[in-house]
Amino acid sequence: MASISSTAGSAVLRRDFFGSALESHRKNEVSLRRSVIRASKYSPKLPNRRLRVAVIGGGPAGGAAAETLAKGGVETVLIERKLDNCKPCGGAIPLCMVGEFGLPLDIIDRRVTKMKMISPSNVAVDIGRTLKPNEYIGMVRREVLDAYLRERAAESGAEVINGLFLQLDMPEGPNQQYKIHYSHYEGGALGGQRKTMEVDAVIGADGANSRVAKSIDAGDYEYAIAFQERVKIQDDKMVYYEERAEMYVGDDVSPDFYGWVFPKCDHVAVGTGTVTHKGQIKQFQAATRLRAKDKIEGGKIIRVEAHPIPEHPRPRRSSGRVALVGDAAGYVTKCSGEGIYFAAKSGRMCAEAIVEGSENGTRMIDESDLKKYLEKFDRMYWPTYKVLDILQKVFYRSNPAREAFVEMCADEYVQKMTFDSYLYKKVVPGNPWMISS
Amino acid sequence: MALFSSPFPSTLLPTLSNKPHLSLKPPTTPVLFPLIKKHHSLSLARSSDANGAGVVGVVEEKVQTREAEKKVEESGEGLGSNGAAAAAAAVVEAPPKFKDPRWVGGTWDLTQFRKDGKTDWDAVIDAEARRRKWLEDTPEASSTDEPVLFDTSVIPWWAWMKRYHLPEAELLNGRAAMVGFFMAYFVDSLTGVGLVDQMGNFFCKTLLFIAVVGVLVIRKNEDIETVKKLLEETTFYDKQWQATWKDDTPNDLSK
């Protein structure tokens, strides 16, 4: 085909351009191997139709991706298996997400402005003294947030389908379409109707147990099990958790993570997680309940939930014209276990890359466009992930390390740095000696 | 969630002076290893066993050795209060809370630690280590009515130095001196160059520098393995993230 020879010619050019550009942006040790990138500007223009993309999974990642695609003029289909899914999740979102995604303030059930960190020997440190009056950690109900983002996607022109993704057929030749097999649930009928759909590209936003990831042979990752109980406590005890979240660290609570008590709309979520000792999760949960005993005594457990949390990205996050975003890709930070913001952001970035590469849906895209999204995401958030990884390695190692961690968090500079980097996703060192402790 | 990328604030622990690193040698756990020079008191942890008893940082290393010391000293100290509490545990159903006559109102009453008119800091360190060990074995609920108010920074920096840094420094200096004497003798016997002339030679000075750095880095034979593991561990996460870029060329060929 004529396009192959032209792409080969331009590939050399692009590689050099990309190679040097990448090196200049990269931090010291991390360097990207030079990849052969085929220019998508030479991809064929689509005759009388727009680019068609399927987004599998309707959580924050899928919703954000579908909205951006639809707004960008791409024909979008969002396939979600359970439209009222109440995901087990901490539910904490940073302040920057509200601004960046234009979330209405009534989506946020609670604004956490005080956090208490409790060491293994029950030294309790209040962090949040440095927060300004308009700064907070937003606690949301996942079903509310996910539904809102999907609504917005639908309003922008995406087609939301209630169905279960089953299988992905690879395209027969270059620039041919992918075939998606899915089960369409219509009107509450048990078991769906098996259907197929032809699309040009697929965004896998179907979470930690992603089927899309399996279809493209993306590889596995290590994951943590997060276990959570929703506890309804008495109103007078609930006052304590009005704006406060708690983090418990210790070997009894988790050998490599933390136990938490997060306030939800009218109850609290008490939970813990672990990567290395998944079999003992119930004991860890019991220990977490014990540590918080005085504050949640007499509460009734209204729901028990558990979910896997990826620990690091999958070995292959894109293949051909299929890309993974959110939990499916493995974008959960270490140390804090934050995933919602990065899921939504990666969904949006991937969609933006597709919109740009397809020139608003008029051209076929190429593998290189999806690699651009990966490169952009990695470059923007790699420092955050790496620093959190170092913190996890250093401070969740042993009880003495955790004691030191909690002790350090009493310092105002540390608190300010922590919150600034969490709320705005920007690591700005500032001057540790200016702020008085 | 503590996130910082500038040098560790030394104002955090006013009683602890700005030391490049405190070398510690707890009986059963690996030794501190300063890796990142910028963070002069913050070090990457490493573990040589599955339990992950790695050591880090200035603050927690003293805490950790406190705990290790506790294991050593437990047999020696009088455990009156704990012994009584343990007996009570057999009878009462609820696990006993930590009780100690010197633990008053959520902190250690330093007036009860006086010895010869001065506070016996070693005893304070031991007491806190024992309390933490106790809580590790029988965790307690964290209570807002009876909060823990003890701040480890009341213990002065020289108490830590005297207890942990100096003995190990003595050990390492002794080893270095012995090695140095033997090497000087050896070189002299082989080349006839005396000690004074050896010091004037650039090659010898380089060797001396390497020897000093080596002793600081590799304090026991086990440290060699630990250093190797540490190196691998620091780059593991990076490799996981870059995995997606490694398969680029084979992928394109297969298309």
Side-chain angles (χ1 to χ4, degrees):
Chain A
M1 279 177 57
S3 57
I4 295 181
S5 51
S6 59
T7 52
S10 56
V12 177
L13 250 178
R14 285 292 270 238
R15 184 201 317 205
D16 284 344
F17 166 75
F18 248 105
S20 52
L22 288 171
E23 240 100 61
S24 63
H25 284 295
R26 275 288 162 186
K27 285 206 166 266
N28 29 14
E29 320 93 47
V30 178
S31 63
L32 277 183
R33 273 181 50 158
R34 288 170 180 238
S35 42
V36 177
I37 296 172
R38 274 198 238 106
S40 63
K41 297 296 188 218
Y42 296 87
S43 294
K45 216 166 156 64
L46 293 165
N48 345 309
R49 69 176 180 92
R50 291 183 297 157
L51 186 78
R52 198 146 182 248
V53 175
V55 178
I56 314 292
E67 183 193 356
T68 309
L69 282 174
K71 280 204 181 124
V74 173
E75 192 188 333
T76 317
V77 175
L78 176 67
I79 301 183
E80 165 59 40
R81 145 185 94 90
K82 194 168 187 290
L83 291 170
D84 58 351
N85 200 0
C86 181
K87 295 255 184 75
C89 179
I93 59 172
L95 202 59
C96 56
M97 185 166 176
V98 178
E100 280 177 40
F101 289 86
L103 299 179
L105 291 177
D106 57 1
I107 255 190
I108 295 173
D109 287 337
R110 287 194 179 269
R111 300 174 188 208
V112 166
T113 52
K114 296 188 272 257
M115 234 171 96
K116 212 181 192 86
M117 291 197 50
I118 298 159
S119 80
S121 68
N122 286 334
V123 175
V125 163
D126 279 308
I127 62 179
R129 286 201 306 268
T130 55
L131 283 179
K132 300 193 200 65
N134 63 327
E135 291 180 335
Y136 55 87
I137 302 174
M139 305 299 284
V140 302
R141 264 170 294 170
R142 280 295 300 278
E143 57 270 27
V144 174
L145 175 72
D146 295 358
Y148 173 77
L149 289 173
R150 275 196 303 265
E151 262 298 308
R152 276 224 313 238
E155 272 165 31
S156 306
E159 186 192 346
V160 179
I161 293 182
N162 185 359
L164 174 66
F165 169 82
L166 296 168
Q167 194 183 315
L168 179 69
D169 289 342
M170 296 298 154
E172 267 115 44
N175 293 329
Q176 296 295 317
Q177 292 193 305
Y178 287 85
K179 192 191 268 202
I180 292 184
H181 299 255
Y182 67 101
S183 214
H184 193 174
Y185 302 140
E186 206 153 2
L190 287 168
Q193 201 189 2
R194 199 176 161 122
K195 287 190 185 170
T196 64
M197 191 192 303
E198 305 238 320
V199 294
D200 298 308
V202 180
I203 295 185
D206 46 347
N209 298 320
S210 169
R211 266 196 202 174
V212 176
K214 221 186 305 220
S215 316
I216 62 167
D217 217 3
D220 275 325
Y221 45 36
E222 273 141 38
Y223 62 94
I225 284 282
F227 187 93
Q228 180 170 265
E229 285 165 346
R230 308 229 187 174
V231 180
K232 181 121 179 70
I233 56 179
Q234 292 142 354
D235 288 335
D236 53 339
K237 288 200 184 313
M238 197 65 206
V239 169
Y240 175 79
Y241 288 112
E242 191 69 39
E243 288 189 336
R244 186 181 277 118
E246 284 182 330
M247 256 177 76
Y248 293 89
V249 287
D251 267 335
D252 53 333
V253 161
S254 167
D256 50 5
F257 206 59
Y258 60 89
W260 62 83
V261 179
F262 287 162
K264 300 271 182 202
C265 45
D266 61 349
H267 56 275
V268 292
V270 181
T272 180
T274 175
V275 180
T276 49
H277 291 72
K278 295 190 183 70
Q280 295 169 340
I281 189 76
K282 293 272 176 65
Q283 286 161 279
F284 296 143
Q285 178 68 11
T288 312
R289 271 202 305 260
L290 168 67
R291 294 264 235 119
K293 190 166 72 125
D294 287 358
K295 292 165 236 166
I296 61 170
E297 199 147 25
K300 202 165 63 104
I301 298 178
I302 52 178
R303 204 184 141 102
V304 177
E305 45 200 21
H307 203 67
I309 298 182
E311 284 293 295
H312 62 85
R314 290 188 196 264
R316 257 182 308 283
R317 286 177 267 155
S318 84
S319 168
R321 281 170 271 131
V322 181
L324 298 174
V325 295
D327 272 13
Y331 292 141
V332 177
T333 63
K334 293 222 164 157
C335 193
S336 59
E338 191 197 342
I340 303 183
Y341 173 74
F342 294 107
K345 199 74 200 269
S346 62
R348 176 179 277 193
M349 275 187 182
C350 184
E352 278 169 359
I354 292 181
V355 165
E356 196 187 312
S358 70
E359 286 177 12
N360 290 73
T362 52
R363 284 192 187 283
M364 181 62 111
I365 59 161
D366 204 291
E367 184 173 15
S368 61
D369 299 302
L370 297 174
K371 287 277 192 277
K372 274 192 219 161
Y373 131 68
L374 286 178
E375 192 245 323
K376 188 171 170 208
F377 186 83
D378 282 6
R379 186 173 4 129
M380 198 180 279
Y381 294 115
W382 166 247
T384 308
Y385 281 93
K386 182 63 181 170
V387 174
L388 285 170
D389 175 53
I390 293 177
L391 287 179
Q392 160 132 351
K393 281 202 180 74
V394 165
F395 289 118
Y396 286 175
R397 262 269 156 81
S398 61
N399 272 347
R402 296 185 187 106
E403 295 280 356
F405 185 41
V406 173
E407 210 168 295
M408 276 206 321
C409 287
D411 180 64
E412 261 191 36
Y413 172 74
V414 172
Q415 288 187 26
K416 184 166 186 315
M417 284 292 303
T418 306
F419 274 113
D420 276 355
S421 51
Y422 174 75
L423 293 175
Y424 304 112
K425 297 289 171 278
K426 279 194 178 54
V427 184
V428 177
N431 190 340
W433 285 273
M434 284 265 305
I435 307 205
S436 57
S437 16
Chain B
M1 281 186 1
L3 201 68
F4 54 97
S5 53
S6 68
F8 188 95
S10 56
T11 52
L12 177 60
L13 296 165
T15 55
L16 204 66
S17 77
N18 225 346
K19 296 268 171 237
H21 69 269
L22 283 187
S23 64
L24 290 175
K25 195 167 170 300
T28 52
T29 48
V31 181
L32 177 68
F33 175 53
L35 186 64
I36 302 175
K37 293 302 178 196
K38 274 193 308 187
H39 307 253
H40 49 247
S41 0
L42 182 69
S43 321
L44 282 181
R46 47 193 174 85
S47 76
S48 53
D49 59 86
N51 293 340
V55 188
V56 161
V58 171
V59 177
E60 48 95 23
E61 71 188 21
K62 69 188 186 217
V63 171
Q64 187 253 357
T65 52
R66 201 190 276 163
E67 191 174 280
E69 282 293 311
K70 191 265 151 243
K71 289 186 195 114
V72 172
E73 317 231 4
E74 179 170 14
S75 44
E77 303 278 342
L79 288 176
S81 58
N82 283 2
V91 183
V92 179
E93 271 161 24
K97 297 194 90 165
F98 174 76
K99 277 201 193 1
D100 188 301
R102 298 167 300 181
W103 178 256
V104 173
T107 184
W108 293 106
D109 185 7
L110 292 174
T111 57
Q112 296 191 42
F113 285 93
R114 295 196 83 79
K115 190 172 89 166
D116 304 333
K118 284 195 296 216
T119 326
D120 182 3
W121 295 113
D122 274 344
V124 176
I125 296 176
D126 288 334
E128 178 65 12
R130 192 174 312 121
R131 182 184 79 91
R132 293 191 182 188
K133 181 84 180 91
W134 170 268
L135 284 178
E136 223 176 90
D137 296 331
T138 46
E140 277 173 23
S142 152
S143 151
T144 39
D145 300 322
E146 301 163 4
V148 172
L149 296 170
F150 180 65
D151 185 2
T152 52
S153 57
V154 300
I155 302 170
W157 63 271
W158 52 262
W160 300 112
M161 276 273 279
K162 233 172 77 171
R163 187 172 167 134
Y164 299 116
H165 179 95
L166 294 182
E168 188 179 9
E170 180 185 344
L171 193 71
L172 292 182
N173 279 315
R175 288 182 184 161
M178 287 187 271
V179 169
F181 174 76
F182 181 75
M183 289 312 297
Y185 184 89
F186 191 59
V187 170
D188 193 349
S189 69
L190 284 182
T191 61
V193 177
L195 183 62
V196 176
D197 294 319
Q198 277 181 41
M199 288 316 301
N201 184 313
F202 176 71
F203 179 63
C204 287
K205 282 194 238 189
T206 316
L207 281 182
L208 179 66
F209 180 71
I210 294 173
V212 169
V213 170
V215 166
L216 285 176
V217 167
I218 301 174
R219 298 171 194 187
K220 326 192 283 283
N221 284 341
E222 291 82 32
D223 283 355
I224 302 173
E225 273 307 306
T226 325
V227 172
K228 278 201 224 148
K229 275 207 206 114
L230 183 63
L231 234 46
E232 208 228 281
E233 200 184 285
T234 45
T235 52
F236 187 59
Y237 193 55
D238 309 41
K239 290 202 202 100
Q240 287 173 334
W241 270 78
Q242 283 158 50
T244 203
W245 303 100
K246 282 209 191 333
D247 302 319
D248 257 346
T249 337
N251 255 0
D252 281 20
L253 288 176
S254 63
K255 266 192 95 180

